[in-house]
């Protein structure tokens, strides 16, 4: 599955960095049409996470992942067949739905196949993901320098072929044990018992809401830093891609070593403390970048990028463990599907929040970091209260059982 992730992300790196350029220069869409296409496909993709998770509790994972990868491949190939807006809109929405569902199922596969070592496995998996993304992005950057329609079409073709390769590789992957079946075999859930539903679990829904805020570090690198640099006097615009490279290098270098600090549920919960500090410091250094000359701005922006990357790495460790620890064994897929809404949600609200921070100025960035830091504290309390209760998958003990 690590090879699957690596190849998948190479394809995504080929396409994600040039999709806007493709729709603009090859398909001939207007700026408004490109923006609407991205917004609609993103909104449709939100449904992919809970839908994929729900299905995963009922069918073998590999049997679901293979058709999902083929669906993504077909969507990518289909984009090559038309330049008309409405078909492109529909095709992009279908592809987005498959992307989000496949993302959740890949995480669930890792959790089931790795068992107690799921945090370390996910760390290695994320390292492979970032390496693949970087490789695809470099290839895309080289192809874009040609500036031809053929080059763009080959990048999209490469993305589609990566999904075909991933589907074929998934055929060779062993099917992990179902969480529902493991729970029944362990005697914690009688056969025929209806699995718990995350939609009625208020604590888990509140946890997902806090996760939406903690995932905002992604928008910092996609939107916040580039825009802030573009509107900062004296700061070279070339700093923005360099900070993205710094982010990628730090994740590849530190994700696995830092994962060992969150291998248990309690250890993961304790990491929320340093995570809170990293977010607060990241916001403060962003604010300080606007208070001095060019050299200070570059130093503070670099420090901020490093701090937000550290927060990204720590949050990944915490999120991997807690999203599963808070879910009953009988409905891990459904719960992870709902957890996937946090990332989808931040993609919607993130640009609005970050641009508001930029418009407010240095105080906006300080407030941004502080707000996420406070959210970490709220999650720490929320998780502590939940973990002190009996798991949802364990039936209550009666007097006759003593």
């Amino acid at each position: 599955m690590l090879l699957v992730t690596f190849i998948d992300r190479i394809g995504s790196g080929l396409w994600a960095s040039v999709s806007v350029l493709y729709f603009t220069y090859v398909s001939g869409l207007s700026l408004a049409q490109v923006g609407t296409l991205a917004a609609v496909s993103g909104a449709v993709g939100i449904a992919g996470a809970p839908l994929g998770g729900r299905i995963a509790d009922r069918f073998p994972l590999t049997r679901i992942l293979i058709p999902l990868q083929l669906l993504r491949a077909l969507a990518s190939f289909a984009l090559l067949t038309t330049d008309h807006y409405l078909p492109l809109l529909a095709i992009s929405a279908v592809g987005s739905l498959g992307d989000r569902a496949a993302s959740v199922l890949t995480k669930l596969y890792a959790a089931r196949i790795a068992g107690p070592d799921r945090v370390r496995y996910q760390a290695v998996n994320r390292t492979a993901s970032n390496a693949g993304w970087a490789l695809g992005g470099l290839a895309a950057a080289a192809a874009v320098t040609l500036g031809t329609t053929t080059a763009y079409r080959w990048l999209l073709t490469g993305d589609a072929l990566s999904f075909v390769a991933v589907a074929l590789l998934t055929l060779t992957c062993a099917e992990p044990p179902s969480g529902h079946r493991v729970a029944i075999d362990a005697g914690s859930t009688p056969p025929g018992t209806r699995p718990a539903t995350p939609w009625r679990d208020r604590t888990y829904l509140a946890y997902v809401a806090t996760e939406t805020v903690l995932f905002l570090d992604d928008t910092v690198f996609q939107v916040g830093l580039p825009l802030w640099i573009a509107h900062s006097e004296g700061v070279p615009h070339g700093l923005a891609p360099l900070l993205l490279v710094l982010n990628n290098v730090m994740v590849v270098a530190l994700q696995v070593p830092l994962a060992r600090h969150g291998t248990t549920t309690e250890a993961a919960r304790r990491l929320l403390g340093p995570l809170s500090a990293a977010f607060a410091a990241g916001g403060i250094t962003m604010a300080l970048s606007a208070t001095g000359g060019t050299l200070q701005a570059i130093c503070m922006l670099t420090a901020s990028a490093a701090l937000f990357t550290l927060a990204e790495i720590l949050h990944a460790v915490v999120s991997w463990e807690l999203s599963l620890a808070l879910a009953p064994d009988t409905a891990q897929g459904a719960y992870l599907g709902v957890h996937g809404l946090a990332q989808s949600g931040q993609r919607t609200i993130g640009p609005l929040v970050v641009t508001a921070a930029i418009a407010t100025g240095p105080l906006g960035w300080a407030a941004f970091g502080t707000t996420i830091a406070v959210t970490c504290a709220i999650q720490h309390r929320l998780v502590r209260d939940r973990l002190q209760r009996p798991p949802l998958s364990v039936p209550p003990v009666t007097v006759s059982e003593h």
Side-chain angles (χ1 to χ4, degrees), residues 198-360:
W199 299 108
R200 297 180 182 177
D201 189 338
R202 295 181 180 179
T203 302
Y204 197 84
L205 292 176
Y207 164 72
V208 172
T210 62
E211 284 285 87
T212 304
V213 178
L214 268 56
F215 274 119
L216 287 174
D217 62 84
D218 183 59
T219 309
V220 170
F221 285 97
Q222 296 295 324
V223 179
L225 276 168
L227 280 181
W228 185 249
I229 289 172
H231 291 82
S232 296
E233 186 176 350
V235 178
H237 291 180
L239 181 63
L242 291 178
L243 294 182
L244 288 176
V245 171
L246 173 65
N247 169 262
N248 197 271
V249 170
M250 284 184 64
V251 171
V252 172
L254 299 177
Q255 189 68 75
V256 174
L258 291 179
R260 69 175 184 269
H261 298 293
T263 54
T264 67
T265 303
E266 182 56 32
R269 188 174 70 89
R270 287 196 298 267
L271 281 180
L272 285 167
L275 175 60
S276 176
F279 273 125
I284 291 171
T285 49
M286 282 287 281
L288 291 175
S289 70
T291 61
T294 298
L295 180 60
Q296 178 178 323
I298 293 174
C299 291
M300 289 295 102
L301 286 169
T302 303
S304 183
L307 286 164
F308 277 119
T309 300
L310 178 62
E312 175 188 338
I313 294 169
L314 292 177
H315 179 231
V317 175
V318 174
S319 182
W320 292 333
E321 174 60 26
L322 296 185
S323 60
L324 279 165
L326 298 176
D329 292 338
T330 55
Q332 284 185 339
Y335 271 69
L336 280 185
V338 170
H339 181 262
L341 292 176
Q343 284 183 299
S344 300
Q346 79 83 22
R347 286 190 176 96
T348 302
I349 68 170
L352 299 177
V353 173
V354 167
T355 51
I358 294 173
T360 307

Side-chain angles (χ1 to χ4, degrees), residues 153-169:
R153 291 188 180 279
W154 272 113
L155 289 173
L156 181 52
T157 301
D159 182 40
L161 290 175
S162 74
F163 298 140
V164 174
V166 164
L168 293 174
L169 284 172

